[in-house]
Amino acid sequence: VGKGGAGQAGAQRPTQRVRGTVNALFPSAVLVEDNAGRQYRLQVGPETTVRRDGQGVSLLELEEGARVEAQCVRSNGGLRAIELSVSPP
């Protein structure tokens, strides 16, 4: 009769956009402060795409002071960056 209905639930996670300045870099995270002074610790890893001027670049090319726009998903109680777009400081 009923099959439950939870089959497709959670298949797509909503994303959150974070815009701000890189304040600190860690091996698996980037600390970003937005214009309102809120700080976000964004988890990053090999699956994180980084773009500068439309070109793919390495996470190692991120620098403190760079302006970023991040597309993130909630993961393990925090935010995981799936894409970072970098602008000049």
Side-chain angles (χ1 to χ4, degrees):
V1 177
K3 293 261 184 190
Q8 296 287 328
Q12 260 192 340
R13 292 188 199 169
T15 60
Q16 178 176 341
R17 186 174 300 185
V18 174
R19 290 184 184 137
T21 303
V22 174
N23 278 353
L25 298 163
F26 302 96
S28 62
V30 176
L31 189 64
V32 175
E33 183 174 334
D34 70 10
N35 290 337
R38 291 182 295 256
Q39 294 202 5
Y40 298 88
R41 184 179 179 96
L42 308 179
Q43 300 166 18
V44 295
E47 72 286 348
T48 304
T49 303
V50 183
R51 297 194 181 285
R52 178 184 291 146
D53 298 324
Q55 302 293 318
V57 296
S58 167
L59 273 169
L60 298 174
E61 293 185 44
L62 275 181
E63 299 174 338
E64 288 183 21
R67 300 278 306 156
V68 296
E69 180 175 321
Q71 293 291 336
C72 306
V73 293
R74 291 247 169 235
S75 176
N76 298 325
L79 289 173
R80 180 172 50 88
I82 52 177
E83 183 172 330
L84 289 170
S85 296
V86 184
S87 303

